[in-house]
């Protein structure tokens, strides 16, 4: 089955599921979830827009992964509350996000790196480092967004954790930098015994944020390593990285320069070929 057909099948199936979910949420009066469904449908169009606007060929596998990620995060996670029902759902998606953002950051740098328009060519290790930093930056910006939404609109994007112990220098009676470890045995809030009901006091956001950044770090490292070997062994079409890294779009009759960019002008192609030949003779 052609790869573009596989992508179309996945997009069609997910679109039908989103439309059904949207109708159901509209009937139930959950208009916020209706907006989420519409947003997902719009996000499904982004890969095609990027591909046509910037003449970049997105691998079919990458498009499928992106669509599944959007569906899992918004429809399953937010609308169907998988973030609450499945404890590891948020962790899994943040890990995948770190992996995907590293792939996107890597491909951006790699396309520039292979272009003859740029005089500076980066080493594989530097490209991998840039991809890692790009992924971590996106992860941090997302945590900023979650914090802003929680503070301004009183949402709970930074999920809370119940903690049964405190480790703090603020509780040290000698006022020095040695933390005091206090196990919580009793905790009453507004007349309710939280230890009996919840098993601890509520940590608002901090643990969730650090956990998300840590798994984002793992995903970014994994792809950065894969990307490093992809550059070192460029041309292996069956590698994992080749299925996730976009390339410059070209027609079958396009001629590529030494950096993999299409040269549609035959005279320009001949000029580059002669230049390379002259350099080799020297």
């Amino acid at each position: 089955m052609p790869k573009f057909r596989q992508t179309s099948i996945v997009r069609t199936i997910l679109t039908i599921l989103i439309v059904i979910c949207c109708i159901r949420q509209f009937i139930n009066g959950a208009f916020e979830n209706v907006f989420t469904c519409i947003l997902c449908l719009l996000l499904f169009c982004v890969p095609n827009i990027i591909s046509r606007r910037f003449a970049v060929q997105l691998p079919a596998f990458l498009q499928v992964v992106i669509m599944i990620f959007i569906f899992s995060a918004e429809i399953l996670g937010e609308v169907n509350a998988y973030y609450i029902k499945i404890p590891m759902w948020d962790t899994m998606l943040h890990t995948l996000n770190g992996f995907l953002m590293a792939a996107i950051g890597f491909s951006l740098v790699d396309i520039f790196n292979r272009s003859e328009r740029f005089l500076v060519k980066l080493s594989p290790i530097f490209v991998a480092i840039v991809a890692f930093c790009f992924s971590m930056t996106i992860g941090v910006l997302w945590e900023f967004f979650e914090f802003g939404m929680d503070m301004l609109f009183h949402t709970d994007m930074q999920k809370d954790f119940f903690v049964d112990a405190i480790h703090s220098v603020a509780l040290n009676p000698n006022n020095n930098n040695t933390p005091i470890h206090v196990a919580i045995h009793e905790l009453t809030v507004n007349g309710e015994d939280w230890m009996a009901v919840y098993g601890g006091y509520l940590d608002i956001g901090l643990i969730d944020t650090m956990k998300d950044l840590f798994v984002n770090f793992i995903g970014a490292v994994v792809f950065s390593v894969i990307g490093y070997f992809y550059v070192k062994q460029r041309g292996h079409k069956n590698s994992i990285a080749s299925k996730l890294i976009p390339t410059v779009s070209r027609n079958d009759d396009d001629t590529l320069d030494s950096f993999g960019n299409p040269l549609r002008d035959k005279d320009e192609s001949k000029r580059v070929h002669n230049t390379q030949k002259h350099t080799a003779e020297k």
Side-chain angles (χ1 to χ4, degrees), residues 219-262:
V221 168
V222 170
F223 187 87
S224 296
V225 172
I226 294 175
Y228 169 79
F229 288 105
Y230 168 79
V231 175
K232 293 285 288 185
Q233 304 172 355
R234 190 184 299 279
H236 290 208
K237 296 183 179 180
N238 294 326
S239 65
I240 298 177
S242 65
K243 298 178 181 179
L244 293 168
I245 297 178
T247 56
V248 177
S249 298
R250 67 185 185 90
N251 297 323
D252 293 337
D253 58 348
D254 286 342
T255 302
L256 296 181
D257 61 21
S258 58
F259 298 102
N261 296 305

Side-chain angles (χ1 to χ4, degrees), residues 7-8 24-25 27 41 46 49 55 67 85 112 125 128-129 151 154 159-160 174 217 221-222 226 232 253 269 279:
T7 304
S8 299
R24 180 181 171 219
Q25 297 301 318
I27 294 175
L41 295 176
V46 172
I49 295 175
M67 289 187 291
K85 298 176 182 178
F112 291 147
I125 185 65
I129 291 174
M151 292 295 101
H154 301 160
K159 297 300 183 287
D160 307 325
N174 299 321
F217 167 85
V221 168
V222 170
I226 294 175
K232 293 285 288 185
D253 58 348
S269 174
T279 303

Side-chain angles (χ1 to χ4, degrees), residues 6 30 46 87 102 135 141 212 236:
Q6 295 176 356
V46 172
S135 177
L141 291 177
D212 291 345
H236 290 208

Side-chain angles (χ1 to χ4, degrees), residues 58-255:
L58 299 179
F61 182 73
L62 175 62
Q63 295 187 51
V64 170
V65 171
I66 291 175
M67 289 187 291
I68 293 177
F69 176 81
I70 294 172
F71 183 83
S72 300
E74 300 301 326
I75 303 302
L76 297 181
E78 293 291 346
V79 177
N80 292 285
Y82 275 34
Y83 289 127
I84 305 299
K85 298 176 182 178
I86 303 177
M88 298 299 293
W89 193 258
D90 182 62
T91 300
M92 177 189 67
L93 290 180
H94 273 281
T95 305
L96 181 58
N97 177 74
F99 188 87
L100 288 177
M101 290 303 104
I104 293 174
F106 184 93
S107 54
L108 290 174
V109 178
D110 188 54
I111 290 174
F112 291 147
N113 201 38
R114 298 173 62 189
S115 175
E116 65 174 1
R117 300 177 183 178
F118 294 86
L119 299 178
V120 179
K121 303 303 171 186
L122 307 180
S123 66
I125 185 65
F126 195 86
V127 176
I129 291 174
V130 172
F132 169 79
C133 293
F134 179 86
S135 177
M136 291 304 299
T137 300
I138 297 299
V140 170
L141 291 177
W142 178 256
E143 294 303 321
F144 286 170
F145 172 74
E146 287 188 348
F147 176 79
M149 292 296 291
D150 290 350
M151 292 295 101
L152 297 177
F153 299 101
H154 301 160
T155 62
D156 188 22
M157 297 188 70
Q158 294 176 301
K159 297 300 183 287
D160 307 325
F161 283 82
F162 286 98
V163 181
D164 59 4
I166 300 174
H167 319 284
S168 174
V169 298
L171 301 177
N172 192 311
N174 299 321
N175 198 30
N176 57 36
N177 200 34
T178 302
I180 297 298
H181 305 279
V182 179
I184 303 175
H185 301 292
E186 298 180 6
L187 179 64
T188 302
V189 178
N190 295 332
E192 183 180 34
D193 186 356
W194 276 28
M195 289 304 299
V197 179
Y198 305 112
Y201 85 97
L202 197 63
D203 172 82
I204 304 177
L206 176 61
I207 295 178
D208 178 75
T209 296
M210 297 310 299
K211 173 185 64 67
D212 291 345
L213 290 177
F214 181 72
V215 296
N216 190 104
F217 167 85
I218 294 176
V221 168
V222 170
F223 187 87
S224 296
V225 172
I226 294 175
Y228 169 79
F229 288 105
Y230 168 79
V231 175
K232 293 285 288 185
Q233 304 172 355
R234 190 184 299 279
H236 290 208
K237 296 183 179 180
N238 294 326
S239 65
I240 298 177
S242 65
K243 298 178 181 179
L244 293 168
I245 297 178
T247 56
V248 177
S249 298
R250 67 185 185 90
N251 297 323
D252 293 337
D253 58 348
D254 286 342
T255 302

